[in-house]
Amino acid sequence: MFHKPLFGQGVSPSCSYCSHSELRSDDTLHCPKKGEVQPFDHCSLFSYDPLRRKPHRLPQMPSFSPEDFEL
């Protein structure tokens, strides 16, 4: 059965949300294929893990006053 990919097709590969990379105690990433890597790197072993992805913060809503709703 065909499953729709999470977050669409436009997810660019990054080691920061790869299922194979491991976060070390000193905030570095370790890949079993490449060793220590930067968060923005990627390789052919990349496998997307949606639980590692941090969502962007929502923009702050504008504040309205009662005068904004008067005719």
Side-chain angles (χ1 to χ4, degrees):
M1 219 174 182
F2 178 73
H3 294 285
K4 192 173 184 179
L6 294 173
F7 303 109
Q9 295 282 348
V11 176
S12 59
S14 172
C15 286
S16 61
Y17 45 85
C18 177
S19 62
H20 299 291
S21 65
E22 300 171 2
L23 183 63
R24 296 285 172 101
S25 61
D26 56 348
D27 294 333
T28 59
L29 293 171
H30 178 76
C31 177
K33 184 175 183 178
K34 289 183 139 184
E36 282 198 27
V37 293
Q38 298 293 324
F40 51 84
D41 286 343
H42 68 278
C43 65
S44 60
L45 191 65
F46 177 77
S47 176
Y48 178 62
D49 185 5
L51 298 177
R52 290 184 179 220
R53 194 159 187 198
K54 294 182 176 86
H56 298 289
R57 297 192 94 167
L58 293 175
Q60 194 172 27
M61 296 295 292
S63 59
F64 294 104
S65 65
E67 292 97 24
D68 291 335
F69 297 101
E70 291 179 358
L71 293 177

